[in-house]
Each structure stands twice: as structure tokens, then as C-alpha cells.
Amino acid sequence: EKLRDYPLKELIPPLAARIDLTFESNRDEAVILEGLLVASSMRTVYSVPQHRQYLRGGYPSEPFLGEAAARAIYRNCRIEALGGADRTQWTEEAIDKIIAIYKDRIPSAVSGWSKQGLIDKGNRGELVARILCTLAHDISILKNCSFVGRYINDRLSFSQMIPVINFLRALIAKDHIEAVLKARPSNMNGIALEEAFKGAVVHFTQFVKGGDKSTITDEGMYLLFLRAAAIHGYRTMDNTDLVIPVCLPCKDNPNRWCMTAIFIQVNIRVDIDAQKTFEFFTTPITKDHSERPYITIAMELEGLKPEQKKARQPKVQPMSEAIIHETRELQLSPPVAGPLDQVSSPTDVRQNKQKSPSRETHPRHEIFITGCSSQVYNVVGTESYSDLLAPKDMLAEHPRKGTYFDAIMQMKPYWKADSSYGWAEMENGSRLGANMIKHGKDLDDASRVSTQSTAPRTSEKV
């Protein structure tokens, strides 16, 4: 009966399989829901603790399962966009309607389940990054699909290989994608990203957990590529959060020697040397595969100052080619002057970095993206990701705000300006919201604070 109250509940099984949702173990509703998914939606039980209060489950990286989940999501969005007819005349306008539903329906569904405490958000940014990449994958297929008989129907495969360039075009906003594709390696002289990854493809229909660094090797990427899977760290990987296998053009069938990857960092900026950090490439490197380019994407989804939380300032920076900065019309703080408010040539960037000649073998193409709006991501629609990205404290779910909430803050559940310091009196003003003393000595000021802190509760304003 409780399932009826879940928003877009029909999307829970396929999205749980594709973006690897983990359910909360401290909520009865979530435990019951996961049990129902095991009973009726092909979720697998990996382990049941001895106390049997909950189970640990998931979806193995089965290509058929990922494909079935992708088709279920597509059918749901197609019916919502075009109605329940078995087939509809193919037009670009019809495809755009389906894509618009994708962009809004999927984040709305995950956000709704999160508000009800069903899913463990873990690293909030990493969850959003998995959603963005999954949307880019599916939208890329929809944008480049060809339906038999020119009719839109459910006979569409999501297990097909996608050119890396198409994937990036689906992911990154149109205003920035050309600059990104023209970017050259940041660690050495080399050709533009668009040329380096010409003919390269990605192949994933779901994200799976990476248990250790063994997955972040060309051999691991090759085996994941065969199973149409990408990995996320699940709190076990340093310096990167998601890794998507990429197969470069090769003369024979795909093998480890033509594998590379897209490394995605969420809310961190650390230079990744794929070989030094992960020993990614198998050695000795053969002459035919002496240089294998790879891509690093740093997604700063929630890295703004508190006063900027309501007005994100998105920008996309292909660092080796140019630094691009865009700001929304609404700002809560003045724009920051400096190197971000400019478009620099590759020469300027290299001079600013003052890097010594590189001894690295494999070209690294870096992309930095700040913000989470349609200005920087081509997969973001009208639905906001703010609920998924907003940090939650212990009182986030308190039902009554206003004066009632102020009274709670006077009890100091955690220390925060101004509510936690109003009981103190400081000479020459306070940076924290304490009361100001017009006259007095520093020694008296310090003793007064000490006395107040040990005084009875009646001295505090509650």
C-alpha cells in the first residue's frame, strides 16, 4: 500500500539498476521496498546481516538487465511525451519532446525518493554525476537513432556503442562544447580532443561499484566495456569518482591495448596522471599503442560559497585550450575579478601554469565544469538538482520554521552564527553575533564570557 505514495514509482526498478541506487537501511519503508525489488524486479540479495534487520542487495553488471532497464525508462518517457500509441511518426520535434521528459522526469523521481528517505545519497555529487552521465548516454542515442519505417516505437537498443564526441555533445552545453572539443592536452603538446578521440566509443548501460583499484586499469576497463558497465567508487577510490571505459579505434577486435577511459572527479580538482595514479596502462607499452589519450572531467557541482548557493555561477573550462566564465544575471555577491573572468589562449594558460616539459606518455585532456544548470550541461532541463545537492543537517526535516526554529537554535543543537553566540558580550563588537560592550577592558571582557558560559540557563535567551 505504501508504494502508492512514492512519486514515479514505476521508475524505481530501472533507475536502481542503471545508476546503482543504494537504499537506506535505517528506514522501514526503504527496507520493505528493497525486499519488494528482490521479489519482483530482479534485484539480487548479496548478504543478510546476522541481525536480519535489513539486506544488502544490488543489480549485477548483466548486459541484458541494463538494456531492459534502459528500455523501460525510455518507454515511460515516450508514453509521457507522446501518449500511449504503439508507434508515432518520427520527427525531430517528437524526439525533442521525449528528451525533455528525460531531463526532468529522472532527476525529479530520484529527488522525490530522496526526500522520503528511501535512498542513501552517499556522496550527493557522485549520485548526480551518475544521473548526468546516464542521461547523456541515452540522449545521445535518441539524438542519433534511426527508427525502422520512420515510426517511433519501443524497438530501440541502448546497448549500442556511442562515439565519445557524441557523448560529450550530449553532456556539455552547446555554448561550450566546441571549445572543449578543440582543447589540446594539458600535459604535453598534442592534437585537439576531437581529433584524438575520432572513432573512439563508450559502451555502458549501468554503473557498478568498484571495490578497489584493479578496475581502474586498461584490462579492467576492457572487461567492463564488454559487459556495458561503468564504475563508481562507492567510497573506495581516491582522486576519481566515476570511470567510463573508452575503446579507441583498433585494427582487430577490442582488447586491452586499445582501452582508455574518461575519469570523472566530483567536487575535487586533482591532476590525474592515469599511469602514475592508477598504473592504468599495461606495461610494457607496445609501439602500436604508445600513446593512448584519456579525458578527465572535474565536476564542481556544489563547490560554491554559502552566499552563492541560491545563484550558482556556472562555467566550463577546457583548461588546455581556454578558460570560459559565464555568470547568471542574478548574483548574491559581486563578481570576482581575476583569471576566471577571461578567455585565454593556450599559450596564456601554459604560461600561467609554468609547467616544466612533460615526460608523460599519454595525452591528458582536462575539462573543468562548475555549476549544475542548463548553461553548462546539455542534459539539464527545467528540473533543478538543488534538493539532491543541498547539504542536509540534523534539522533539515524539522516541520516548523520561524520563531519555533529560532527557539531550537537557542538550545545549540550545533554552533552557528548568530544564534549560538547571543548569550556572550564582547568588547568592540563581535564577528559571531555576540552582544557588544561599549566600555570595558579586555580582561573584563574575557572574564564576562567565562562567567556567562557557566551561568544558569536563565541567562540565555530561549
Side-chain angles (χ1 to χ4, degrees), residues 366-401:
E366 298 178 348
I367 304 170
F368 294 134
I369 306 176
T370 300
C372 190
S373 73
S374 58
Q375 294 184 31
V376 289
Y377 288 107
N378 204 24
V379 294
V380 176
T382 59
E383 185 68 27
S384 172
Y385 286 81
S386 58
D387 288 336
L388 286 173
L389 290 172
K392 301 289 186 182
D393 59 37
M394 61 184 295
L395 299 177
E397 297 176 310
H398 186 72
R400 294 181 294 177
K401 303 297 181 180

Side-chain angles (χ1 to χ4, degrees), residues 35-55:
L36 289 175
L37 293 179
V38 170
S40 60
S41 297
M42 300 189 71
R43 191 172 179 88
T44 299
V45 178
Y46 298 138
S47 175
V48 178
Q50 190 170 3
H51 53 65
R52 299 185 181 181
Q53 297 297 312
Y54 52 81
L55 56 86

Side-chain angles (χ1 to χ4, degrees), residues 277-318:
T277 307
F278 302 113
E279 297 182 352
F280 183 89
F281 300 102
T282 299
T283 55
I285 299 172
T286 63
K287 183 177 180 181
D288 293 338
H289 302 90
S290 59
E291 289 188 6
R292 279 183 269 172
Y294 58 98
I295 298 172
T296 65
I297 303 178
M299 296 181 174
E300 292 190 356
L301 299 170
E302 49 181 307
L304 294 178
K305 298 177 182 178
E307 64 269 25
Q308 296 172 313
K309 289 294 184 182
K310 293 182 180 179
R312 295 193 173 272
Q313 300 178 339
K315 60 181 178 296
V316 175
Q317 299 177 6

Side-chain angles (χ1 to χ4, degrees), residues 195-229:
E195 185 65 25
F197 286 89
K198 185 177 181 180
V201 294
V202 296
H203 181 223
F204 69 100
T205 53
Q206 63 181 137
F207 280 95
V208 297
K209 296 180 180 69
D212 58 26
K213 288 186 177 181
S214 66
T215 53
I216 316 179
T217 60
D218 54 6
E219 183 178 0
M221 287 294 103
Y222 167 63
L223 298 175
L224 285 163
F225 183 86
L226 294 179
R227 296 180 70 92

